[in-house]
Structure formats: C-alpha cells, structure tokens
Amino acid sequence: MADGAIAWSENEIGALTAKVKALKASMARVIIGQENVIDSLIICLLAGGHALVEGVPGLGKTLLVKSLSQATELDFHRVQFTPDLMPSDIVGTEILEEDHATRKREFRFQQGPVFTQVLLADEINRAPPKTQSALLEAMQERSVTFAGQTHKLPKPFFVLATQNPIEQAGTYPLPEAQLDRFLLRIDVVYPTEAEEIAMVSATTQAGLKDAEPVMDVSTLLRLQQLVRDIEIGEHLLAYATRLVRATRPALTTVPAVKKHIAWGAGPRAGQALVLASKARALMQGRLAVTREDIAEMLLPVLAHRVLRNFEAEADGVAIAEILQALREHIRPD
C-alpha cells in the first residue's frame, strides 16, 4: 500500500472484495444484460464519483440506479428535470414556521431531494442552466449553502444524471466545465435479441424482483477508502498522465487528435483516470492497477472531457474512434 495508507488485514480485504462481487450479482438478478454498464456504475460508486448516463428512453436507466440503491441499502431520490424546475426544487428552501406556544416565527431550512445518498437526475439537460449549476455545485462541494448556512450532504453521495442523446429541442446542453464534474460517462446501448426476449418475459409476469440488499453504508465507505489505497506504479501513473496530455492538440503527437480535437482534457481527467482504474482493479479482485485497467477506463473517463472540432463532427468521427487511436499511439514505458 501507498505511504500513509490505512493498514488493511488480509481477511478484511477478502471480505470487502466479496461484497463487491455480491453487489454485482444482486444487480444482475434484476438488470438483464448491460454488464458493462453495471460494472461502470459500481466503479463510479467505489471511486466516490458521479456518473453521466446517455441512452434512449426505455433501456432501464431508472431501474439500474434503483437496483443499485436497493443492493447497497442507500437512500434513493429521483428528480425529473423539466424546463420549469427551479434550484430550490433541488437543494431546498426556507419556510416560515410559528411556535404555537410562544407565537414566535422563524425560518427553517427545508431540505430538497439532493439530501440523499443516491440521486437520479433524470434528463438533466432539460432543466435551465441555473438549476443545473445548483446540482453540480452540490456534487462538487458535497454541501449546500443557503442563506449563509452550509448544510452537509450525506455520505456517501452519488449522482447518476441521464441524458437522451436523440432529443435536442427544448434542452440545455451541459457546458464542458460542468461535464468535467462527472467521473464517468456511460453509454447504455440496446440489448441483444436474447437479452431483450428475457427482459420482456421477466417484466410481463407477476412478482417483479427487487435487488437483494448485500452491502451497508459502512461497508461501502470502507471500500471507498480501500480504493484510494490500491497500488499504482510510477510508470503507470506517468502513462495515465501522458494519455491525458496527449488529448491536447497543442501538445499531442497523435495525428487523430491534431486533426479532430478542438480542446483536450484538463488535469482533473488524469485524477479521474487513475481513481477509476484503481476502482476497476479492486472489482477485478486485484490490489494493484494494471495497464489494462487504464486502457479500459480511458473512454468513459475522457469521452465527455474532450471536444471534437467542426471537421470531426462534419465527417462523423466519433470520440471513441479518436480515443482508440490515442490508446494505440501512446504506450507505457
């Protein structure tokens, strides 16, 4: 373990990694298919970050995050974002209360739905920027300031925000600086034919299953501590940093980046890549990061942090293609 790390016993590490496997199995009993999405959500949770999920309606995004909260015994709130949603609808507001005995009136802060442990922000791009920024500030600071008073959010605090990629009318796209606050961007794709048949069969019968609780809050917080203590070699730390720096057109030696990227990722992307790689290593039952961990987390970490130029958009060059070229060009020492 790294310098200053918590002392971990072999028995505790074994028990914690077993809990991670049980969490995935519990969610898989409810969510048919979507293994990569389940893995990415758990990685995000273990790393203590937030997730931005993109997918068309009907792919089970709400069920996905609800199952996660059930399996981890975390409080869960869902907010449907709409154009008339106000910041106070998210973070809360002050109400005037009267003491019936003394007739004294005073303001009391009424907490909003953000005061939970798992928050589903459904179609976040449908709310105006002022409302979006209220949520994103809470995500970053893990607290809400109202009328000069700071109110801490619960621990852990996990936000899963969804976007519908096929609808543009009446939406307010998140600025790049705010997208950077999400640890991962996860794409939810259509299921295979076999998965879809199983899904239709399971959801049209009586007795729909819930995820079985397999992890409590204290265990999850302990796992988040363990993720921070996962080993990463200096050469892999340098490799992750070089990958991020190579997304910047002025610095890169990757032809695809020079040609198709207008703006590269900032230093926060390097932090996210290392942290997500540590969480993936733990999910795989390892206490050290490998090159494969970094390579696998490259797309979900960087997909929303690099900006394509006009030429790339006009030619239909996807972010995934550019990042694949980046991965092939930049090698660890």
Side-chain angles (χ1 to χ4, degrees):
M1 295 290 174
D3 292 341
I6 298 171
W8 299 93
S9 70
E10 187 175 338
N11 287 340
E12 184 179 16
I13 291 173
L16 289 172
T17 53
K19 287 289 187 181
V20 175
K21 293 178 181 177
L23 173 59
K24 181 176 178 179
S26 178
M27 293 182 65
R29 280 193 289 269
V30 180
I31 307 297
I32 298 171
Q34 305 291 3
E35 182 178 358
N36 289 338
V37 177
I38 293 174
D39 285 349
S40 296
L41 272 184
I42 295 175
I43 286 169
C44 212
L45 185 67
L46 295 179
H50 307 291
L52 179 65
V53 177
E54 287 202 0
V56 298
L59 294 182
K61 298 186 291 294
T62 302
L63 180 60
L64 194 68
V65 68
K66 185 178 179 181
S67 300
L68 179 67
S69 68
Q70 289 172 341
T72 52
E73 300 182 331
L74 298 177
D75 292 333
F76 168 65
H77 286 163
R78 176 181 179 271
V79 178
Q80 180 67 48
F81 278 60
T82 58
D84 61 348
L85 198 70
M86 300 295 291
S88 58
D89 296 326
I90 301 294
V91 300
T93 188
E94 283 190 331
I95 59 175
L96 184 62
E97 286 191 339
E98 180 179 305
D99 188 313
H100 295 294
T102 64
R103 298 295 181 182
K104 181 181 179 181
R105 294 181 178 183
E106 62 181 6
F107 284 100
R108 180 176 66 83
F109 180 67
Q110 179 70 44
Q111 294 181 350
V114 75
F115 286 86
T116 187
Q117 292 170 318
V118 177
L119 178 68
L120 174 59
D122 223 349
E123 296 188 292
I124 189 173
N125 56 333
R126 286 203 173 278
K130 190 173 184 179
T131 304
Q132 292 175 358
S133 63
L135 173 62
L136 294 166
E137 181 182 0
M139 289 164 52
Q140 181 68 22
E141 304 300 331
R142 310 288 172 131
S143 63
V144 168
T145 301
F146 196 98
Q149 296 293 319
T150 299
H151 308 270
K152 293 290 185 183
L153 294 174
K155 290 183 179 181
F157 176 59
F158 174 62
V159 174
L160 187 146
T162 70
Q163 289 191 141
N164 182 348
I166 63 175
E167 291 189 21
Q168 301 300 326
T171 62
Y172 303 84
L174 292 172
E176 282 69 26
Q178 296 188 358
L179 285 171
D180 196 34
R181 303 193 186 200
F182 291 96
L183 183 75
L184 303 181
R185 196 197 83 179
I186 305 167
D187 291 320
V188 183
V189 299
Y190 287 112
T192 65
E193 182 177 358
E195 290 170 349
E196 195 160 352
I197 291 171
M199 189 183 303
V200 171
S201 174
T203 55
T204 54
Q205 298 178 18
L208 293 177
K209 296 180 293 185
D210 287 335
E212 179 186 350
V214 294
M215 184 183 297
D216 58 22
V217 173
S218 61
T219 300
L220 176 56
L221 292 174
R222 194 68 174 157
L223 276 163
Q224 290 180 343
Q225 290 179 310
L226 179 56
V227 165
R228 296 277 177 167
D229 286 340
I230 295 294
E231 291 281 1
I232 180 169
E234 290 294 330
H235 67 294
L236 290 178
L237 202 60
Y239 173 52
T241 304
R242 286 204 308 275
L243 284 168
V244 171
R245 290 176 61 81
T247 64
R248 302 165 193 167
L251 301 175
T252 193
T253 59
V254 183
V257 173
K258 280 187 177 292
K259 185 177 181 181
H260 296 302
I261 295 298
W263 199 258
R268 189 181 290 166
Q271 297 169 341
L273 183 55
V274 169
L275 198 54
S277 298
K278 287 185 173 189
R280 185 183 187 273
L282 182 60
M283 272 202 72
Q284 300 291 321
R286 289 181 276 102
L287 297 180
V289 173
T290 66
R291 177 187 168 186
E292 181 188 4
D293 294 321
I294 295 173
E296 286 297 318
M297 299 314 303
L298 187 68
L299 178 59
V301 167
L302 293 183
H304 57 297
R305 288 184 165 95
V306 294
L307 185 64
R308 291 179 299 166
N309 58 24
F310 176 78
E311 182 180 354
E313 293 181 4
D315 293 343
V317 180
I319 287 290
E321 296 177 47
I322 302 170
L323 293 179
Q324 176 63 29
L326 172 70
R327 187 165 64 179
E328 292 172 357
H329 193 276
I330 305 295
R331 301 284 182 174
D333 293 335

